[in-house]
Amino acid sequence: MTSTDGLRLLPFRGLRYAPDRISSLTAVTSPPYDVVVRPDGVRHLETADPYNIVRLILPHAADPTTRHRQAADTLRRWRTEGVLTQDAEPALYVYEQRAGEVLQRGLIGALRLDGPVLPHEDVIDEVVEDRAALMGAAAANFEPLLLSYRGRNSANGATAVIERVAEGTPLLATTTEDGFTHRLWAVTDPADLAAIDDDLARRQALIADGHHRWATYQRLYEQQPGAGAASPWASGLVLLVDTTRYPLQVRAIHRVLPHLPPAKALADLAGAFRTRTLPGELPAALAALDETPGTAFVLAGGPHSFHLLDRPDPELLDRAIRRDRPEAWRQLDATVLHSVLLDEVWHVPDHPSDIGYLHHAEAAVEQAARLGGSAVLMRATSEETVRQLAECGVTMPRKSTSFGPKPATGLVLRTLDESDTGQGLSGRSGPESP
């Protein structure tokens, strides 16, 4: 696929829940698949409503093939029964999230895969393979990934359309359990679509959340024999947010090492890091971590077991961390964790069964205690650092950051059936349907 100079966000016919077939929108939505804490989180969502979207994004069965077929069958049945219905005409969707002083607005659409999209993290191939098999079996994009771009923040282009459309009556509105209110509007006017298209033609995007889904979109396209630029597989469902107007929140992603007991983790450090016992509860431990200069982590074995790790051995850092990367990359907490602690000190295999990734510190500590392992609590990396490294073509260790607010899953889906695609824009060269 030949790359384009700017972003190309294509309208599509959204697949949405029929309000009269569900108990409420709140009851059928879910966090992104990789944020749901298994297994309790899945069970909670499944019992909220028989049509909760978790049955599509995280089906559970004895083997992967059965899981993927189960999701595809469930999607087909829900469409046949009218639980999910398709919008009559192609649209881009203005999406708003609000909680207290936090407000985020952006555009949901089918983004061409050949545009300037910058990843900043590595991916786990097994996860990409599984998500590709799931989406391929269902022929659908279940949830938008989150991308950021730097717009003009002016009265013209995409910004103007978003702000004006958000003054109208939304297609849907709901409040999820995390306290966020979600609203969605359709943009179908040709002049508005053209204004957005012209504006985004000058932009590049940073993957804020969803590296595995972006890699999945690319793999799915590669797996379609003879698929050209006009194929629906040549684009993927995204939420684009202009961070000059709506700055993203950045949080850490914590690690759980189920096979490494805290006592062994501390013993194996053997001078590689300074270690100090932290008294008190989790909030105090996180506060101590945030106040510590330089590289630092909290090693947790349970709700009352916290140790601060800091002041790593300079010779160990110099020996373990590759030198062909920028200094900013070499000093990242995530780089030191993976290159030094996990690889050199603890010898933890880089495999999903040996390293878990959780977005909430409380959940990480609880899971580590339940499994008899250790949690490594992290600090967030700034969006500016992430963007600068991405623009240099340097990727961070996987799951280094958690950008948000993340879009709720279940508000609008995208099918990849050829008969379900809508007409795109005619003003710029490229495909006429997503």
Side-chain angles (χ1 to χ4, degrees):
M1 187 187 297
T2 304
S3 63
T4 59
D5 294 332
L7 302 173
R8 189 86 194 281
L9 191 67
L10 303 172
F12 69 102
R13 295 175 59 206
L15 190 67
R16 298 187 293 113
Y17 281 99
D20 60 341
R21 296 299 311 275
I22 57 176
S23 57
S24 70
L25 270 175
T26 300
V28 296
T29 58
S30 165
Y33 80 96
D34 58 340
V35 179
V36 177
V37 180
R38 294 179 181 239
D40 293 343
V42 174
R43 284 197 293 267
H44 172 73
L45 293 167
E46 285 180 333
T47 57
D49 188 284
Y51 299 116
N52 189 282
I53 194 71
V54 77
R55 287 181 166 80
L56 300 182
I57 63 172
L58 288 174
H60 49 84
D63 62 272
T65 301
T66 303
R67 287 198 303 270
H68 305 148
R69 185 174 62 250
Q70 178 178 300
D73 291 342
T74 300
L75 175 62
R76 189 179 306 110
R77 185 174 67 254
W78 289 0
R79 294 181 69 182
T80 301
E81 295 173 353
V83 176
L84 291 169
T85 61
Q86 200 149 32
D87 288 342
E89 57 184 323
L92 297 179
Y93 296 87
V94 171
Y95 176 47
E96 176 188 278
Q97 296 160 273
R98 186 191 295 265
E101 297 181 354
V102 177
L103 172 64
Q104 179 171 286
R105 287 175 179 156
L107 287 165
I108 293 178
L111 187 68
R112 279 276 300 268
L113 303 182
D114 55 357
V117 175
L118 303 175
H120 70 268
E121 290 183 357
D122 296 329
V123 297
I124 303 170
D125 190 66
E126 295 94 327
V127 175
V128 175
E129 181 179 353
D130 180 74
R131 301 317 289 181
L134 176 69
M135 289 189 210
N141 297 156
F142 292 131
E143 47 189 337
L145 56 90
L146 176 62
L147 303 182
S148 73
Y149 73 100
R150 298 290 178 86
R152 291 178 294 193
N153 195 17
S154 68
N156 300 312
T159 297
V161 174
I162 290 170
E163 300 306 313
R164 177 168 43 77
V165 169
E167 294 177 357
T169 302
L171 292 173
L172 60 85
T174 190
T175 300
T176 46
E177 290 184 346
D178 57 6
F180 271 90
T181 297
H182 307 260
R183 299 198 295 170
L184 194 76
W185 298 261
V187 181
T188 58
D189 181 83
D192 287 342
L193 295 174
I196 293 170
D197 191 54
D198 181 65
D199 189 357
L200 296 181
R202 302 171 175 82
R203 314 295 166 207
Q204 66 177 8
L206 173 73
I207 300 177
D209 184 73
H211 284 80
H212 288 90
R213 278 166 283 168
W214 186 253
T216 296
Y217 294 162
Q218 294 173 318
R219 182 167 300 185
L220 285 170
Y221 174 75
E222 293 167 357
Q223 291 174 350
Q224 305 306 310
S231 166
W233 302 90
S235 54
L237 188 64
V238 306
L239 166 64
L240 271 175
V241 174
D242 177 3
T243 53
T244 59
R245 187 170 184 84
Y246 298 107
L248 296 176
Q249 299 174 331
V250 189
R251 294 188 173 91
I253 301 179
H254 311 287
R255 273 62 170 165
V256 174
L257 313 176
H259 308 306
L260 181 67
K264 185 177 190 311
L266 291 169
D268 288 350
L269 285 169
F273 279 70
R274 183 177 70 167
T275 63
R276 289 178 287 164
T277 301
L278 294 174
E281 306 295 325
L282 177 61
L286 293 175
L289 178 61
D290 286 338
E291 294 167 0
T292 303
T295 301
F297 312 94
V298 166
L299 179 72
H304 307 289
S305 172
F306 302 103
H307 290 82
L308 181 68
L309 313 183
D310 69 345
R311 298 187 184 180
D313 178 5
E315 293 185 1
L316 175 60
L317 296 181
D318 189 59
R319 181 177 72 252
I321 299 176
R322 57 191 297 179
R323 303 180 186 215
D324 60 343
R325 296 293 179 90
E327 191 62 26
W329 182 88
R330 301 184 81 245
Q331 294 179 3
L332 290 171
D333 283 353
T335 298
V336 176
L337 172 65
H338 283 264
S339 298
V340 179
L341 280 173
L342 298 181
D343 292 350
E344 290 288 323
V345 176
W346 291 330
H347 305 291
V348 175
D350 186 9
H351 191 273
S353 63
D354 294 282
I355 307 175
Y357 299 87
L358 293 181
H359 291 73
H360 301 289
E362 297 87 347
V365 172
E366 185 278 330
Q367 188 175 103
R370 178 165 49 84
L371 298 174
S374 302
V376 180
L377 307 182
M378 310 278 291
R379 299 177 296 197
T381 303
S382 71
E383 180 185 353
E384 191 57 35
T385 297
V386 172
R387 185 176 293 275
Q388 288 175 357
L389 289 172
E391 289 174 346
C392 294
V394 177
T395 57
M396 300 167 66
R398 64 179 66 102
K399 300 293 185 181
S400 293
T401 57
S402 175
F403 285 89
K406 303 178 190 303
T409 299
L411 298 181
V412 61
L413 290 67
R414 174 180 177 248
T415 60
L416 297 168
D417 304 333
E418 293 287 349
S419 59
D420 293 333
T421 58
Q423 294 303 308
L425 303 167
S426 59
R428 237 194 316 153
S429 61
E432 294 185 352
S433 64

